[in-house]
Amino acid sequence: MVSDPYLGKYTTCISARSTDREILKKAQDGGIATTLMVYALEEGIIDGTIVAGEGDLPWKPRPFVAMSRKDILKAQKAKYNISPQISWIKEATRSFGLDKVGVTGVCCQIQAVRKAQLYPINMRDIPGKIAFVVGLFCMENFLYDSIQAIVEDHTNQSLSSVEKMRIGKGKFQVYTERGNVATAPLQATHKYGQPGCYVCLDYVSNLADISTGSVGSPDGWSTVFVRTRVGNDIWSKAVDAGLFETKPIEEVKPGLELVMKLAKIKLDGNRKTLEERRNFGVNKALRDPYA
């Protein structure tokens, strides 16, 4: 078991991609989360999984409970604005009657899942029904209006024409249905990030059973951290079943060094922000004891 202050605890870190051609066709990168949840569902490890599906507006996600391969595949591709997955845990267990729930989410959502398991306030009987948790790497996320502004004002594309969005190599990339690729400097998008993202002290979803993201692996592949006994059991069996092609993270570029670099940028920067806010609060209280 490796324990790192920036990357969390993990037993294995590798570069991988799905061998399922249907999943890879529309995958954000290596199709890891989708393939894992389909496998877990088909093997009876979970009864269903909470995913970010399509909402009423283009690229505005909504959570729903996927109980088939078809439904899980509908939720492929990163939306880059928050889908309130955790609010549906009760729905999954009570309205849908699931006893074994899968959850996929970004860092803050995975933290919320684990807190709900430890302190199940207003979530009675739910902690034991969370069977498998897959976390996604996340530097920052955006409100829907912000995504619309980034796409339409900075890349000059209509949101309704977008086929895929991707962040990589210092750019926010937009792929349209007609095959065009438009980009905006990633630096230009930071002002649109949600405030909570800049005090978050996790980059790689280190509380998940398995966490994954594109950073560190070649295009079309994903970096995978296997973190828990549950995660290790599922990952090992899925690999043995031929569901993934894998490479040692040490043999790919840019490799774990880039993951570590970005994790340090996020965590060190956000710790500084938290310290500044803490000091501001203390100084304000000293000036005004009734503040």
Side-chain angles (χ1 to χ4, degrees):
M1 174 73 74
V2 177
S3 182
D4 183 272
Y6 294 98
L7 304 180
K9 293 181 179 180
Y10 60 95
T11 58
T12 306
C13 181
I14 47 180
S15 184
R17 68 178 174 185
S18 176
T19 57
D20 188 314
R21 291 186 178 182
E22 184 183 11
I23 290 175
L24 278 180
K25 187 177 180 181
K26 292 188 176 182
Q28 183 71 15
D29 296 292
I32 306 300
T34 302
T35 302
L36 283 170
M37 284 301 174
V38 168
Y39 173 75
L41 181 66
E42 293 177 345
E43 291 297 310
I45 299 166
I46 60 174
D47 302 322
T49 181
I50 304 171
V51 295
E54 296 180 359
D56 297 330
L57 298 173
W59 293 95
K60 185 172 185 178
R62 66 171 180 85
F64 75 98
V65 178
M67 299 176 65
S68 68
R69 172 189 170 95
K70 182 179 178 181
D71 282 346
I72 293 174
L73 265 60
K74 286 180 181 179
Q76 283 187 280
K77 300 181 183 178
K79 281 78 172 178
Y80 294 116
N81 54 115
I82 282 290
S83 173
Q85 315 290 82
I86 311 309
S87 66
W88 270 61
I89 293 179
K90 283 185 180 180
E91 189 77 9
T93 59
R94 296 176 183 176
S95 298
F96 288 79
L98 304 189
D99 290 321
K100 297 175 289 186
V101 181
V103 181
T104 302
V106 293
C107 310
C108 56
Q109 294 174 320
I110 304 308
Q111 291 174 10
V113 170
R114 296 312 192 197
K115 287 180 179 178
Q117 289 181 294
L118 287 172
Y119 308 105
I121 300 172
N122 293 325
M123 287 199 175
R124 182 168 51 88
D125 300 329
I126 289 177
K129 295 183 178 181
I130 297 172
F132 184 37
V133 179
V134 175
L136 308 175
F137 297 1
C138 182
M139 182 65 78
E140 60 193 343
N141 217 305
F142 308 93
L143 296 173
Y144 182 73
D145 289 346
S146 297
I147 281 291
Q148 189 170 24
I150 292 169
V151 172
E152 298 185 352
D153 297 344
H154 291 271
T155 71
N156 297 313
Q157 304 297 318
S158 168
L159 196 57
S160 60
S161 72
V162 174
E163 178 67 22
K164 179 179 179 179
M165 290 182 246
R166 191 171 186 272
I167 293 175
K169 300 177 182 178
K171 296 179 180 179
F172 190 98
Q173 304 162 349
V174 171
Y175 300 75
T176 70
E177 295 171 344
R178 294 189 176 185
N180 298 324
V181 181
T183 65
L186 196 55
Q187 189 68 31
T189 69
H190 292 330
K191 65 181 179 180
Y192 294 103
Q194 297 192 78
C197 297
Y198 303 116
V199 293
C200 173
L201 298 180
D202 188 6
Y203 173 61
V204 290
S205 289
N206 57 43
L207 296 180
D209 293 312
I210 295 174
S211 60
T212 184
S214 64
V215 176
S217 289
D219 289 347
W221 291 66
S222 298
T223 300
V224 179
F225 288 95
V226 181
R227 300 186 178 279
T228 67
R229 285 193 296 270
V230 169
N232 187 65
D233 184 57
I234 293 173
W235 180 258
S236 298
K237 290 177 180 177
V239 170
D240 289 345
L243 300 184
F244 295 105
E245 182 180 357
T246 65
K247 294 180 181 179
I249 194 67
E250 297 81 11
E251 295 180 9
V252 302
K253 293 183 178 180
L256 197 58
E257 183 178 346
L258 181 58
V259 185
M260 176 68 79
K261 178 182 177 180
L262 294 183
K264 284 177 65 67
I265 288 172
K266 178 178 181 178
L267 271 65
D268 288 349
N270 287 0
R271 286 192 182 105
K272 183 178 179 181
T273 299
L274 283 167
E275 187 63 27
E276 289 172 350
R277 291 184 180 182
R278 187 179 298 115
N279 290 337
F280 175 78
V282 170
N283 292 334
K284 182 178 180 181
L286 288 173
R287 291 194 303 270
D288 182 2
Y290 299 102

